């Protein structure tokens, strides 16, 4: 499953386009976000992507979870949003 990393400064429309394409090609993707701003952008991207894939008859399911990731040798807790077609 492809991992898309989302930052607080990410453009939700760009993330949504990448997410929609990945869902069409692979059936799902994982968004990773660290912090409230990044999580906000990730959620907006999922909402926008749902609008992109809905005309094709695809509905989305989002499964939130915590994950530990390594950034510059430091372990951080991130939120991963697993997005799959229903």
């Amino acid at each position: 499953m492809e991992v898309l990393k989302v930052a607080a400064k990410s453009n939700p429309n760009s993330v949504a386009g990448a997410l929609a394409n990945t869902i069409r090609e692979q059936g799902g993707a994982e968004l990773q976000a660290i912090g409230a701003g990044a999580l906000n952008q990730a959620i907006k991207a999922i909402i926008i992507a749902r609008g992109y894939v809905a005309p094709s008859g695809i509905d989305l399911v989002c499964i939130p979870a915590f994950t530990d990731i390594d950034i510059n040798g430091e372990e951080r807790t991130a939120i991963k949003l697993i997005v799959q077609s229903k």
Side-chain angles (χ1 to χ4, degrees):
M1 186 172 296
E2 187 166 341
V3 177
L4 303 173
K5 296 182 181 181
V6 182
K9 294 182 180 181
S10 295
N11 180 336
N13 289 309
S14 299
V15 176
L19 179 59
N21 287 334
T22 303
I23 288 168
R24 285 188 189 109
E25 293 171 4
Q26 301 177 15
E30 179 181 313
L31 298 180
Q32 284 185 353
I34 299 175
L39 181 60
N40 182 50
Q41 299 301 79
I43 294 294
K44 283 196 253 182
I46 293 169
I47 294 166
I48 295 166
R50 184 170 183 254
Y52 291 164
V53 298
S56 305
I58 300 171
D59 199 11
L60 301 181
V61 176
C62 178
I63 305 164
F66 289 107
T67 187
D68 292 321
I69 61 173
D70 184 61
I71 298 177
N72 299 331
E74 183 180 334
E75 191 169 284
R76 303 276 311 263
T77 299
I79 292 180
K80 68 178 177 179
L81 302 167
I82 301 166
V83 183
Q84 300 173 334
S85 58
K86 186 174 175 183

